[in-house]
Amino acid sequence: MDLRRLLELLAAGKLSVGEAESRLSLTGIDALEDFARLDTGRHARKGVPEVVYAPGKTAEQLVKICAAMVRATGSAIASGLEEGQWQALEKEFPDRITTADPRARIMVIRAPGQERSSDAGTIGIISAGTADIPVAEQAAIMAGEMGCTVLRAYDVGVAGVHRLADPLKQMLSSDTRALVVVAGMEGALPSVVSGLVPVPVIGLPTSTGYGLGGEGITALLAMLQSCSPGLSVVNIDNGIGAGATAALIAKAAGR
């Protein structure tokens, strides 16, 4: 059903506002030349904005996709950026970049006057080591773009687990609704945290370490084998997915 027909039915009283909103959220597809079909209705449909995955795209394609997303939704999130792509976005949107983290290889571009929401509740991001911070920041930025307040505690892994106590107390006293726990190497920290807290924990394995640990396989398998209930796990280095899941949990908990 096209937009005009939808509006005619709404005006005639044959559709309720809720029904019209639901149908509109399913029609948000923006075809861009012959290389992209943008899901511009994703945020309205499920509360998670589309993220533009940069690897495999030319700088020109990436710029066009981000520009189209900004026009349609007010913002664009680009992840996995390489140096040439980063420079192309900086050149195209010099005054519209609101978040840019080279470590996390992620950038947020926003239309003038477009504000992100900040009413989704609080989540926490915990990393085992400093080397895990780039992936942890992907999760933090994604959750922030979905309206969460994000508390961070980095380099508190099991080699010195006493470092975890104070930041964990602070997070729990701040009505934190979900935790993302990021770890490479042996991947033990998410199980430890999950055994201590009354909120959902999302384990985020990273490709930090050496040998099998360097590919993240050991961390992933360790988290999947956890005996601590309440721990869910995303794929290796999937900070975007972990942040989105934590934000959805926080939103649902606040309803």
Side-chain angles (χ1 to χ4, degrees):
M1 182 182 298
D2 63 27
L3 179 59
R4 183 180 183 86
R5 178 58 179 158
L6 192 65
L7 293 174
E8 288 173 347
L9 291 173
L10 179 63
K14 296 181 179 180
L15 277 181
S16 69
V17 172
E19 289 170 332
E21 181 181 26
S22 177
R23 294 194 187 187
L24 279 172
S25 69
L26 296 174
T27 61
I29 298 174
D30 188 357
L32 189 60
E33 298 182 19
D34 61 349
F35 58 81
R37 292 177 64 83
L38 307 181
D39 187 5
T40 55
R42 183 177 302 175
H43 194 276
R45 185 175 70 250
K46 64 170 290 157
V48 179
E50 180 168 10
V51 177
V52 182
Y53 182 65
K57 295 178 175 65
T58 67
E60 181 182 8
Q61 288 173 334
L62 185 64
V63 166
K64 288 181 178 180
I65 290 170
C66 288
M69 288 298 299
V70 171
R71 286 195 302 270
T73 69
S75 65
I77 306 170
S79 71
L81 291 165
E82 299 168 357
E83 184 176 355
Q85 295 169 323
W86 189 280
Q87 292 172 350
L89 291 178
E90 285 185 322
K91 181 178 179 180
E92 183 70 20
F93 306 103
D95 303 321
R96 298 188 183 184
I97 297 170
T98 57
T99 301
D101 191 328
R103 299 172 303 171
R105 298 171 61 196
I106 191 169
M107 183 181 291
V108 180
I109 303 159
R110 206 177 305 282
Q114 183 77 14
E115 300 290 337
R116 74 180 186 187
S117 63
S118 57
D119 57 354
T122 300
I123 70 156
I125 309 282
I126 298 171
S127 86
T130 302
D132 300 312
I133 291 177
V135 178
E137 279 300 302
Q138 291 177 14
I141 291 168
M142 185 64 180
E145 286 301 307
M146 291 174 62
C148 287
T149 298
V150 180
L151 304 180
R152 295 166 170 84
Y154 293 159
D155 195 28
V156 293
V158 296
V161 74
H162 57 291
R163 298 173 294 179
L164 177 64
D166 286 343
L168 198 57
K169 288 178 183 177
Q170 178 188 359
M171 289 180 181
L172 293 178
S173 66
S174 301
D175 193 28
T176 299
R177 296 172 178 174
L179 296 172
V180 176
V181 184
V182 192
M185 302 291 282
E186 81 294 336
L189 187 61
S191 291
V192 172
V193 173
S194 180
L196 296 172
V197 300
V199 298
V201 174
I202 299 146
L204 172 51
T206 69
S207 52
T208 299
Y210 38 82
L212 284 176
E215 297 177 352
I217 296 172
T218 298
L220 173 61
L221 293 179
M223 294 178 198
L224 289 173
Q225 291 290 334
S226 176
C227 64
S228 178
L231 172 63
S232 299
V233 185
V234 298
N235 206 354
I236 300 166
D237 292 336
N238 186 13
I240 297 294
T245 301
L248 286 173
I249 291 170
K251 288 182 178 182
R255 289 175 185 161

